Amino acid sequence: LEGVPGVAKTLLVRALAASLELDTKRIQFTPDLMPGDVTGSLIYDSRTAEFSLRPGPVFTNLLLADEINRTPPKTQAALLEAMEERQVSIDGTPRALPEPFMVIATQNPVEYEGTYPLPEAQLDRFLLKLELPLPSREAEIDIIARHQAGFNPMSLAEAGIQPVAGAADIHAAHEAASRIEVAPAVMAYLVDLCRATRTSAAVRVGVSPRGATALLRTSRVWAFLQGRGFVTPDDVKTMAPVTLAHRLGLRAEANLEGVDATDVITGVLAATPVPR
């Protein structure tokens, strides 16, 4: 989740966590955070003369990585294995994470003092990138009115947010979405979109096969949420910008010309023939 400070990125994730019966933890990323503070570490027990694991906050279902770009790359990289393989290796021993497992990170796009941009390999592991814009005038008036009426963002239960789903519900939805059909023509269209990013003049690094499989997953889920049992080209078009844009590495010339990743995806969508 990317947006300027104060657009309720953290509050949005906390509200999601409050609506699910899952274990959730939050890490405030800071410049002095160490990898062991994320994954955990082995602690020597003098009573037993043995080492025991002290699990880090990554051992949870929903992990909020708040302001993830405020910590150095070595600590950011502590999440690489967790996000891809659903495990962490501590002292050479892989340890499985709970199911389900999800990382939701926030970052501020306009402040660069004391921040560390996420490496491309880690950006590629995020399924989606969503930008939270400033609210409209009417929405901001509503926000102020809610606060004036006593809304307390620190107490979501008082705001009426209660758990409505748990791990079993999420697993059932995952299974249902995985059964959504994708016609060969739609699958080829999806692949053509991803391959077209690799030949764009503005792009240094295009979408990888991991990005193509991510677009397949998000298109299936979007079709599932629309109540359909099959994916359409419009589902792929809808999910392409938020699934693919953060996976592109642009050339310096493109940045100088004011071209961003979303512009590239828009151009690719317009140029790629749509199956009938």
Side-chain angles (χ1 to χ4, degrees), residues 169-241:
D169 302 294
I170 293 173
H171 179 72
H174 180 271
E175 290 296 312
S178 68
R179 293 192 294 270
I180 300 296
E181 295 184 6
V182 184
V186 175
M187 195 174 302
Y189 174 62
L190 182 154
V191 170
D192 288 342
L193 287 175
C194 295
R195 291 180 67 85
T197 65
R198 303 170 198 166
T199 57
S200 171
V203 174
R204 174 175 49 83
V205 178
V207 174
S208 68
R210 180 193 284 138
T213 59
L215 183 55
L216 173 66
R217 291 165 57 196
T218 57
S219 299
R220 273 179 155 173
V221 170
W222 187 255
F224 169 71
L225 293 174
Q226 306 310 306
R228 279 185 277 99
F230 56 91
V231 174
T232 68
D234 284 341
D235 296 327
V236 178
K237 284 184 175 182
T238 298
M239 299 309 299

Side-chain angles (χ1 to χ4, degrees), residues 77-140:
L79 288 173
L80 285 172
E81 183 183 12
M83 295 171 70
E84 183 66 18
E85 302 178 35
R86 302 297 190 265
Q87 68 175 32
V88 293
S89 295
I90 300 175
D91 197 33
T93 302
R95 302 173 190 272
L97 297 175
E99 287 288 344
F101 176 75
M102 174 189 256
V103 175
I104 303 182
T106 69
Q107 74 173 13
N108 173 2
V110 297
E111 187 177 359
Y112 299 103
E113 185 73 25
T115 62
Y116 305 83
L118 286 173
E120 292 168 350
Q122 186 156 10
L123 282 173
D124 199 41
R125 282 166 168 77
F126 282 100
L127 186 65
L128 302 170
K129 177 183 176 182
L130 304 177
E131 296 185 5
L132 273 65
L134 289 168
S136 65
R137 179 177 181 272
E138 292 72 20
E140 194 163 1

